[in-house]
Every structure is written in structure tokens, then in C-alpha cells.
């Protein structure tokens, strides 16, 4: 089966001469290529070895092209590029100087690699003539070899040793980043190559034309086989993963036409309305008992779409999911290889597969539309699904995390994007967060999608969590990238005090740019998942304590409004609409009840420490 994206060799005439272009250097070529692909922002930290690229970005910004966004740490720049890519469906771009600038990027790049987020990663090098001489921050094969470090976490990784190589290597990097499976591509470029004038006879690819995606291809015989299975199935179960964003509406039609129900992976929850009458919960990390019980009831058919069945997304590789009743639909061979036990594999672009199924399952008499779902009914149904519905209500000090998540879901504007950091923040959000929209009703295809979700791309959703590679602090930078990508939608970043102490300085980028981001710090004076993991495992209580920090005062010292929330009365007094309407970030230092145990049993099970 061919890839759903076709990349042809360079056709005749695809290269246009630069003879008629004013004198430019190699860095200008890179920025022009990004402009051709519709990239708006480049996230990074300046330095001597990458200076020519910043010069090119300055020129570009003056004429309305890609602009430089300066992060406070290169790791934060990678997280910002990640958030930008997920929100827009475009390429995320992060840049850094040589040596420590490059190594600081690696964690963010590895996160994007393991979560299939397309990035272009550009790092500098000292002049190539100085390789092997002990040049400052040299990171070639004769120094601290960052090329070798990036190799395991990139789809393409190359050193540009001659200016003439740049057009083709840049094209290859862009192609590899965006083809399935997508992920980061890395180019390391010596500073003398970046500032090299473009020769009059150097031809540059038509990047936008050559990288334009061809019509999506699907394995039609496999789709027809799946349709036959669906015709004979009784109430099939649909599992929606993080690759299903643009197909969410189609999937809701399929759920209804097959009289099925649906569950999601933790990172797929943000593509659906969790108050939909056919939703049975999240399966996997932070998930719901109802979803696990549904799979354990041995439905005759489970259709999983857009997931690679990592630990958190598969319930620790649960045999209730991974068995011969499974049909796996994906456009990535890497993902399909992780389900060898499945009854059927369907290779192809997920939205195209869904559209084909809708056509094949159409009947002369369409199924009756689902009735309008009253918001109160949806809320009651979701509360019945969670582990501790009693904790969603009531007054207490400190604030119970469940109560905090309920308030955010009920009172934030309907178009809000939520991004939850690794650890307890993600567990609480996956399990308890359910945005409430007074205006929600039946959307096209009966999707019951929250208002404000009209623009959908592969990674865009109301809830972002990172599963397979989950670095602390990811959400803090990612929130900036999301807000830069889509200024119509406010962003709420849920993070812990441990994560904020690692990467909290990136809030100043949101302040500098006037971004409406609400940073909600779950402050319990501990590395919460470590603390509860040790308790649940009967391990030694060590290393989880954190100092008591007034994060609101820290924010105020940076010129950012900060509020300490000590009780539910403080929480109820907040005007979330006003907080998310201001130009600039706000920080809530929420003193949560650290004795509340997050839904993390799956993590304990796969670590082999559950009791």
C-alpha cells in the first residue's frame, strides 16, 4: 500500500532561478522556504553561530514574513513550536545556536518525535574551517557531537557542509518532517554557510509546490472489508486516538450509523464532546472505569483509529483491547506494526477512510437524528462516569483538584484550549475536565462538538496532553505556541509546582507578546505523582518534597497578575471570562489538597509496583 502522501522527484521546471533576486544569503533561503509554507513564527534563542538566521528573520519580519519569537530556554522554544504545530497543522520551527543551545533543544525535540509532531529544528555550528580545533561550543563530529544526539529523535538529521547542499537538504528535511509518520527534522548549519551569498546559478526548489500534499490514498479493499464487518457487528466500539482531529465529525456520524459507542485515548479526548450520549469514557492513563468495563465486556468489534498503542494509550497494553476483535485504522505503518494481533489493518488517511465508510454504510433510510442533549443531562452523565463525583462539589480548603477541574470546565469560555502538563495535571485533566457550553447543541453530523471547534486539523483539540514522551514543563511552553497560533482562543495551562519550577520562566514570553494564557499551578509542595506513586507502592518516601513557593508573588515580580487560591470560595470568586480576555497572561497559584490521589493506577500497574 502506498503512502497517503506522494512526494515525486523534482519535476522539470520545479526549480526557479535566483538570478533575478536581490543578493541574499543562505539564511534568507531558509526563511523564504518557511514563508512559502505559511509558517508565521520561528521559536528560539539567539547566539553567535545562528546569528545570520536571526538577521534573515529580522528582514522577513519587516516585510510581513516569518517572525522570531525569543524563548527563555531552548527547551521552551521546542515546546512552543510543538504547540504551534498542533494548533495550526503547519510545521513548527525551533532554532538554537551550537553546543548547549542545541543540547537544550533535545528534550523538546524528543517529545515531538515520540508524539509525531512535525518540526524543523535548525542549529548552528562554528565556521566549518574551525572544526577539530576546539572552537567555542563546537558540536560537530569533532566536538560535542549533537548530530549523534539528534539522530535517535528525528526523521531526518544532516550537517550542511557546503552552501550548495542547502536547497536539497532543506527540501528533504521539510519532506521528512511532514510525511507520515511525521516528526522533527534537524539541520545543523555552520555559521559561515548560513551567511554565504547565494550563487547566481544556485536553483532553489519551489518548496510550496513540491511539498503540497497529493490527494489522500486509502486501502479501498480493506475499507470495504471493514464495512462488511460493521454491517454484521452489534453495537461496535470506536476508539478515537490523537490522529483523528480532522475526522471527528465523520466519526460521530459513523458511531450513530452503526449504533455504536465510543471511547478515546487520553490524548484523543480533546477531539470529542465528553458529554456526548454515546461517550463511554477515556481508556488508558487517567481514564474511566466505564471505558475499561466496555472493552472487558468483549464487544464483537473494536475499531481503533489514529493511535500507536503506547503504554498510556493502550491501558498498559491491555488484552481487553489488543486482541482479535480489533480493527486498526491508521496512516502510519509504525503505528499499524504495534497491533499484529488485530483482525484487520486499514492503511490510509483517517478522514478519507471515514468518508469512504460513510458512503459504504449509507442506506436509503438514514438513522434518525439523536435528540437534543440538554446541558444538564450531559453534565450528570459525565459526573456519573468519574471516580469521585462527590469531590466535584462542596467547599473545602485547600481546594480539591477535582473541584478545580470542574470549575474550569464549567466557567471557561467555550472556545478555550486546555493544555495539561505531564504528571498529576494530565491525570486530573484526562479524567475530570469536561468543558461546558451553554450554546452546544447538535452540530453537523450530530457530533455534539463544543462551540469554537469549527476549525479542525490533525492535532487541534480543546485538550492537549502528551503521552508517549512526557516531559515536565512541556505545557508551559506549548501554551505560548498555541496562543501565538490562534489568538481567537484563550489558553489554560494546567501545570504542577514541580513543572513550573523547571520551566515557569516562559510565562514572560506570554507577557511580552500579550497572549491570553491562564497559568493554573496545582501547588501542593510536592512532586505529586512521585509522592503518591511511592505511597501506593509502599516505597521509601524520598525526594518528592518541594519548598513552599508563592507563585503568585513570583508572577507579580515579573509584571504579571497573580492570584493565590486557597479555598473554593476564592475559586468561585474568580471571573474566568475576564481573566481570559485580558491581553497578557495571569497566574493562579491554587493551593490544592495534596492528599487527593490522582487516577494513576495504570502507571503503577505497568511499573509493576501496584499493590
Amino acid at each position: 500500500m502506498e503512502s497517503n502522501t506522494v512526494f515525486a522527484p523534482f519535476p522539470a521546471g520545479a526549480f526557479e532561478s535566483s538570478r533575478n533576486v536581490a543578493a541574499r544569503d543562505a539564511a534568507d533561503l531558509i526563511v523564504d522556504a518557511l514563508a512559502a509554507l505559511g509558517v508565521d513564527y520561528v521559536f528560539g534563542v539567539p547566539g553567535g553561530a545562528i546569528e545570520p538566521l536571526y538577521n534573515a528573520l529580522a528582514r522577513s519580519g519587516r516585510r510581513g514574513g516569518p517572525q522570531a519569537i525569543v524563548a527563555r530556554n531552548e527547551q521552551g522554544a521546542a515546546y512552543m513550536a510543538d504547540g504551534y504545530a498542533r494548533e495550526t497543522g503547519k510545521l513548527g520551527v525551533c532554532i538554537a545556536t551550537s553546543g548547549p543551545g542545541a543540547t537544550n533543544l533535545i528534550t523538546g525535540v524528543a517529545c515531538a518525535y515520540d508524539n509525531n509532531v512535525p518540526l524543523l529544528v535548525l542549529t548552528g555550528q562554528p565556521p566549518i574551517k574551525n572544526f577539530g580545533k576546539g572552537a567555542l561550543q563546537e558540536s560537530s563530529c569533532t566536538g560535542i557531537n549533537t548530530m549523534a544526539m539528534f539522530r535517535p529523535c528525528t526523521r531526518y538529521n544532516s550537517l550542511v557542509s557546503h552552501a550548495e547542499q542547502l536547497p536539497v537538504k532543506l527540501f528533504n528535511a521539510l519532506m521528512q518532517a511532514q510525511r507520515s509518520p511525521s516528526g522533527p527534522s534537524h539541520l545543523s548549519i555552520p555559521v559561515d554557510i548560513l551567511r554565504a551569498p547565494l550563487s547566481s546559478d544556485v536553483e532553489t526548489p519551489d518548496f510550496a509546490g513540491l511539498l503540497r500534499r497529493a490527494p489522500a490514498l486509502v486501502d479501498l479493499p480493506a475499507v470495504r472489508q471493514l464495512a462488511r464487518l460493521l454491517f454484521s457487528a452489534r453495537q461496535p466500539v470506536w476508539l478515537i486516538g490523537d490522529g483523528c482531529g480532522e475526522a471527528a465529525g465523520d466519526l460521530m456520524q459513523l458511531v450513530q450509523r452503526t449504533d455504536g459507542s465510543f471511547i478515546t485515548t487520553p490524548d484523543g479526548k480533546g477531539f470529542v464532546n465528553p458529554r456526548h450520549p454515546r461517550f463511554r469514557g477515556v481508556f488508558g492513563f487517567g481514564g474511566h472505569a466505564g471505558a475499561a468495563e466496555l472493552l472487558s465486556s468483549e464487544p464483537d468489534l473494536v475499531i481503533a483509529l489514529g493511535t500507536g498503542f503506547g503504554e498510556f494509550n493502550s491501558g498498559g497494553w491491555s488484552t481487553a483491547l489488543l486482541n482479535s476483535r480489533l480493527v486498526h485504522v491508521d496512516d502510519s505503518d509504525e503505528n499499524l506494526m504495534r497491533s499484529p494481533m488485530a483482525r484487520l489493518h486499514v492503511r490510509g488517511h483517517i478522514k478519507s477512510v471515514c468518508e469512504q465508510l460513510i458512503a459504504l454504510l449509507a442506506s436509503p433510510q438514514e438513522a434518525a437524528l439523536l435528540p437534543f442533549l440538554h446541558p444538564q443531562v450531559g453534565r450528570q452523565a459525565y459526573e456519573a462516569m468519574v471516580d469521585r463525583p462527590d469531590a466535584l462539589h462542596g467547599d473545602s480548603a485547600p481546594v480539591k483538584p477535582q473541584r478545580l477541574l470542574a470549575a474550569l470546565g464549567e466557567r471557561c469560555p467555550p472556545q478555550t484550549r486546555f493544555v495539561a502538563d505531564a504528571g498529576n495535571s494530565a491525570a486530573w485533566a484526562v479524567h475530570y475536565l469536561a468543558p461546558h457550553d451553554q450554546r452546544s447543541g447538535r452540530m453537523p453530523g450530530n457530533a455534539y462538538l463544543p462551540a469554537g471547534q469549527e476549525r479542525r486539523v490533525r492535532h487541534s483539540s480543546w485538550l492537549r496532553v502528551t503521552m508517549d514522551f512526557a516531559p515536565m514543563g512541556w505545557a508551559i511552553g506549548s501554551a505560548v505556541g498555541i496562543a501565538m497560533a490562534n489568538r481567537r482562543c484563550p489558553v489554560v495551562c494546567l501545570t504542577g509546582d514541580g513543572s513550573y519550577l523547571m520551566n515557569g520562566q516562559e510565562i514572560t514570553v506570554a507577557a511580552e507578546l500579550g497572549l491570553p494564557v491562564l497559568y493554573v499551578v496545582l501547588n501542593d509542595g510536592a512532586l505529586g505523582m512521585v509522592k503518591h506513586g511511592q505511597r501506593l507502592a509502599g516505597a521509601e518516601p524520598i525526594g518528592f518534597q518541594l519548598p513552599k513557593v508563592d507563585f503568585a508573588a513570583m508572577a507579580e515580580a515579573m509584571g504579571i497578575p497573580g492570584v493565590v487560591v486557597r479555598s473554593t470560595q476564592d475559586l468561585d470568586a474568580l471571573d474566568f471570562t475576564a481573566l481570559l480576555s485580558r491581553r497578557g497572561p495571569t497566574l493562579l497559584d491554587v493551593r490544592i489538597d495534596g492528599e487527593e490521589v490522582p487516577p494513576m493506577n495504570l502507571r503503577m500497574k505497568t511499573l509493576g509496583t501496584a499493590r
Side-chain angles (χ1 to χ4, degrees), residues 217-369:
L217 302 179
V218 298
D219 184 349
L220 286 176
V223 173
R224 295 189 185 103
Q225 187 176 349
L226 173 54
R228 289 192 292 271
L229 291 173
L230 288 168
F231 272 122
S232 59
R234 292 185 305 106
Q235 296 181 325
V237 176
W238 298 80
L239 173 64
I240 297 173
D242 74 329
C244 295
E246 60 183 347
D250 299 309
L251 280 166
M252 294 302 101
Q253 289 191 51
L254 287 168
V255 169
Q256 183 175 334
R257 290 191 183 197
T258 59
D259 193 26
S261 54
F262 71 95
I263 59 180
T264 73
T265 61
D267 50 5
K269 180 183 178 182
F271 296 126
V272 305
N273 183 349
R275 304 182 190 215
H276 190 289
R278 294 186 184 270
F279 181 55
R280 297 296 178 265
V282 174
F283 182 75
F285 177 72
H288 303 100
E293 290 167 1
L294 179 63
L295 292 180
S296 297
S297 69
E298 299 188 356
D300 53 355
L301 193 65
V302 177
I303 308 97
L305 307 97
T307 181
F309 297 120
E311 175 185 328
F312 281 3
N313 286 334
S314 65
W317 307 285
S318 169
T319 56
L321 171 63
L322 299 175
N323 55 53
S324 60
R325 296 185 296 275
L326 176 69
V327 173
H328 192 182
V329 181
D330 212 286
D331 61 359
S332 166
D333 287 331
E334 287 187 13
N335 283 351
L336 293 173
M337 288 167 60
R338 296 183 181 180
S339 58
M341 74 299 293
R343 177 187 305 188
L344 176 66
H345 292 92
V346 181
R347 173 75 162 83
H349 180 254
I350 293 171
K351 181 171 174 60
S352 298
V353 169
C354 291
E355 290 170 344
Q356 292 288 339
L357 285 173
I358 289 170
L360 291 169
L361 295 174
S363 60
Q365 183 176 2
E366 292 289 345
L369 293 176

Side-chain angles (χ1 to χ4, degrees), residues 102-466:
T103 59
N104 282 346
L105 280 175
I106 289 176
T107 297
V109 173
C111 179
Y113 177 83
D114 226 15
N115 289 276
N116 301 125
V117 179
L119 299 185
L120 178 64
V121 184
L122 301 171
T123 63
Q125 291 280 2
I128 199 165
K129 65 181 181 179
N130 294 338
F131 281 15
K133 297 180 180 180
L136 178 67
Q137 298 181 340
E138 183 188 341
S139 46
S140 70
C141 61
T142 55
I144 302 299
N145 193 347
T146 55
M147 293 298 300
M149 295 180 192
F150 277 105
R151 187 171 300 118
C153 58
T154 52
R155 304 291 178 192
Y156 182 86
N157 181 46
S158 186
L159 173 74
V160 179
S161 60
H162 297 78
E164 292 77 12
Q165 295 175 349
L166 182 59
V168 171
K169 285 194 172 183
L170 179 59
F171 173 79
N172 288 339
L174 295 169
M175 177 183 72
Q176 293 292 342
Q178 297 177 91
R179 69 184 304 179
S180 183
S182 54
S185 286
H186 172 234
L187 291 178
S188 188
I189 312 174
V191 64
D192 51 331
I193 302 297
L194 281 172
R195 67 165 65 104
L198 288 177
S199 171
S200 60
D201 59 357
V202 169
E203 295 180 327
T204 59
D206 171 15
F207 290 101
L210 290 171
L211 290 168
R212 188 176 295 118
R213 290 185 180 271
L217 302 179
V218 298
D219 184 349
L220 286 176
V223 173
R224 295 189 185 103
Q225 187 176 349
L226 173 54
R228 289 192 292 271
L229 291 173
L230 288 168
F231 272 122
S232 59
R234 292 185 305 106
Q235 296 181 325
V237 176
W238 298 80
L239 173 64
I240 297 173
D242 74 329
C244 295
E246 60 183 347
D250 299 309
L251 280 166
M252 294 302 101
Q253 289 191 51
L254 287 168
V255 169
Q256 183 175 334
R257 290 191 183 197
T258 59
D259 193 26
S261 54
F262 71 95
I263 59 180
T264 73
T265 61
D267 50 5
K269 180 183 178 182
F271 296 126
V272 305
N273 183 349
R275 304 182 190 215
H276 190 289
R278 294 186 184 270
F279 181 55
R280 297 296 178 265
V282 174
F283 182 75
F285 177 72
H288 303 100
E293 290 167 1
L294 179 63
L295 292 180
S296 297
S297 69
E298 299 188 356
D300 53 355
L301 193 65
V302 177
I303 308 97
L305 307 97
T307 181
F309 297 120
E311 175 185 328
F312 281 3
N313 286 334
S314 65
W317 307 285
S318 169
T319 56
L321 171 63
L322 299 175
N323 55 53
S324 60
R325 296 185 296 275
L326 176 69
V327 173
H328 192 182
V329 181
D330 212 286
D331 61 359
S332 166
D333 287 331
E334 287 187 13
N335 283 351
L336 293 173
M337 288 167 60
R338 296 183 181 180
S339 58
M341 74 299 293
R343 177 187 305 188
L344 176 66
H345 292 92
V346 181
R347 173 75 162 83
H349 180 254
I350 293 171
K351 181 171 174 60
S352 298
V353 169
C354 291
E355 290 170 344
Q356 292 288 339
L357 285 173
I358 289 170
L360 291 169
L361 295 174
S363 60
Q365 183 176 2
E366 292 289 345
L369 293 176
L370 288 171
F372 175 81
L373 183 67
H374 191 279
Q376 182 65 19
V377 175
R379 175 165 62 179
Q380 292 172 348
Y382 192 77
E383 289 185 6
M385 186 185 298
V386 302
D387 288 350
R388 289 278 312 282
D390 59 298
L392 299 172
H393 308 285
D395 298 327
S396 64
V399 179
K400 291 190 180 299
Q402 301 95 323
R403 177 75 156 77
L404 171 64
L405 270 294
L408 291 171
E410 291 286 335
R411 296 170 57 199
C412 287
Q415 71 273 26
T416 302
R417 304 293 202 247
F418 294 90
V419 55
D421 233 327
N424 286 0
S425 299
W428 291 123
V430 165
H431 195 90
Y432 286 98
L433 187 60
H436 173 60
D437 180 9
Q438 294 280 1
R439 300 175 298 157
S440 66
R442 185 159 44 247
M443 303 294 287
N446 306 307
Y448 289 91
L449 298 172
Q453 298 296 302
E454 68 284 351
R455 183 175 64 85
R456 290 192 162 263
V457 295
R458 181 177 177 87
H459 292 287
S460 179
S461 70
W462 61 261
L463 173 63
R464 317 279 164 75
V465 292
T466 182

Side-chain angles (χ1 to χ4, degrees), residues 57-123:
L57 285 167
R59 294 190 286 270
S60 167
R62 287 194 292 270
R63 61 177 183 266
Q67 302 176 42
I69 304 298
V70 178
R72 305 304 177 245
N73 181 283
E74 291 86 357
Q75 184 180 124
Y79 295 154
M80 291 174 194
D82 178 308
Y84 174 87
R86 291 178 192 242
E87 178 63 26
T88 62
K90 299 178 184 179
L91 185 75
V93 183
C94 55
I95 62 177
T97 193
S98 58
T103 59
N104 282 346
L105 280 175
I106 289 176
T107 297
V109 173
C111 179
Y113 177 83
D114 226 15
N115 289 276
N116 301 125
V117 179
L119 299 185
L120 178 64
V121 184
L122 301 171
T123 63

Side-chain angles (χ1 to χ4, degrees), residues 421-600:
D421 233 327
N424 286 0
S425 299
W428 291 123
V430 165
H431 195 90
Y432 286 98
L433 187 60
H436 173 60
D437 180 9
Q438 294 280 1
R439 300 175 298 157
S440 66
R442 185 159 44 247
M443 303 294 287
N446 306 307
Y448 289 91
L449 298 172
Q453 298 296 302
E454 68 284 351
R455 183 175 64 85
R456 290 192 162 263
V457 295
R458 181 177 177 87
H459 292 287
S460 179
S461 70
W462 61 261
L463 173 63
R464 317 279 164 75
V465 292
T466 182
M467 290 284 103
D468 293 338
F469 196 88
M472 293 172 64
W474 162 81
I476 298 169
S478 183
V480 173
I482 295 167
M484 286 298 298
N486 186 358
R487 292 195 179 238
R488 297 175 302 167
C489 297
V491 181
V492 173
C493 173
L494 291 161
T495 188
D497 46 350
S499 293
Y500 196 81
L501 287 170
M502 286 187 180
N503 292 86
Q505 72 280 355
E506 302 301 345
I507 194 174
T508 61
V509 181
E512 178 187 6
L513 300 171
L515 301 178
V517 182
L518 180 63
Y519 285 92
V520 181
V521 181
L522 280 63
N523 188 353
D524 60 356
L527 298 172
M529 184 157 282
V530 175
K531 177 180 74 175
H532 290 293
Q534 290 170 352
R535 290 180 179 179
L536 293 170
E540 293 286 348
I542 182 173
F544 63 81
Q545 302 94 340
L546 292 175
K548 294 185 183 300
V549 177
D550 187 334
F551 293 104
M554 285 179 60
E556 294 282 358
M558 298 174 179
I560 298 165
V563 180
V564 177
V565 178
R566 294 185 172 86
S567 66
T568 51
Q569 288 81 9
D570 293 342
L571 181 64
D572 292 341
L574 295 171
D575 184 343
F576 285 99
T577 300
L579 293 176
L580 289 167
S581 298
R582 66 176 302 273
R583 283 185 56 84
T586 305
L587 183 138
L588 300 183
D589 180 349
V590 185
R591 307 298 168 82
I592 63 166
D593 185 349
E595 296 306 304
E596 287 291 318
V597 181
M600 56 180 291

